[in-house]
Amino acid sequence: MNADYYYGISKIYFKRVLFNIIKIANLNRSNEIILDYGCGSKELGKILKNQKVLNYDINPNYTDHDDYKKLKFDIVILNHVLMYMEDEEILSMFRNVKKINPKCKFVIGIGKEGFINKLAAILALNFKAHKGTKNNYKNQLSLIKSKMNIIDVKKNIFFMTDVFYTSFKD
């Protein structure tokens, strides 16, 4: 799967999502160590040059670390990642992160995969968009709410993505 969505018309959308992720958690003014889980082409680290960003991806062509469970971090970014994971994979990752840092926060971008998303993918000539999706918006949100407290939400970025700032439930 090509992890570089930051070209052409798609770049506008994905950059807007990233800037909302940064804003909701105040990442550009933070000394926290950030785990960009599913980092792809490492755009978050390129934007946050002065912050400590750990780039992790299951694709060895993109990752800087073999195992996120061996890292120490304060906040996890999951931008359009949960959709490619089965329920148990998501819950297992949440459990693993909680063992590493029970006070860890998350910023989670979820694409709605609705009509506008599909139309935008066609207009961007990205005919492989959403290929490999294993989890829909509603289910991703349900899993998040089952384990997390929602601190803040940025809804309807271009009517296609919601961003959730969360922390673990006690």
Side-chain angles (χ1 to χ4, degrees), residues 6 32 89 100 112 139 146:
Y6 295 88
E32 295 177 311
E89 289 177 276
I100 295 166
K112 295 184 176 188
N139 197 62
S146 75

Side-chain angles (χ1 to χ4, degrees), residues 69-137:
K69 296 183 286 287
K70 295 179 181 175
L71 302 172
K72 299 286 184 211
F73 44 84
D74 304 299
I75 190 161
V76 176
I77 308 305
L78 295 159
N79 185 19
H80 290 82
V81 172
L82 297 183
M83 63 197 274
Y84 297 110
M85 300 169 72
E86 301 282 354
D87 289 7
E88 188 47 45
E89 289 177 276
I90 295 168
L91 294 173
S92 175
M93 184 264 302
F94 287 165
R95 285 190 298 270
N96 290 330
V97 169
K98 194 169 188 174
K99 286 178 192 172
I100 295 166
N101 181 356
K103 296 187 183 297
C104 189
K105 303 264 191 317
F106 287 79
V107 183
I108 307 170
I110 305 176
K112 295 184 176 188
E113 298 178 55
F115 174 76
I116 294 174
N117 297 73
K118 291 174 180 138
L119 180 61
I122 291 167
L123 293 173
L125 304 176
N126 184 358
F127 303 111
K128 294 182 181 178
H130 311 121
K131 184 176 176 156
T133 299
K134 298 178 181 177
N135 226 310
N136 65 39
Y137 177 93

Side-chain angles (χ1 to χ4, degrees), residues 138-150:
K138 185 176 175 183
N139 197 62
Q140 291 173 65
L141 186 55
S142 175
L143 290 168
I144 292 165
K145 287 181 174 181
S146 75
K147 301 296 178 189
M148 308 280 178
N149 293 312
I150 296 176

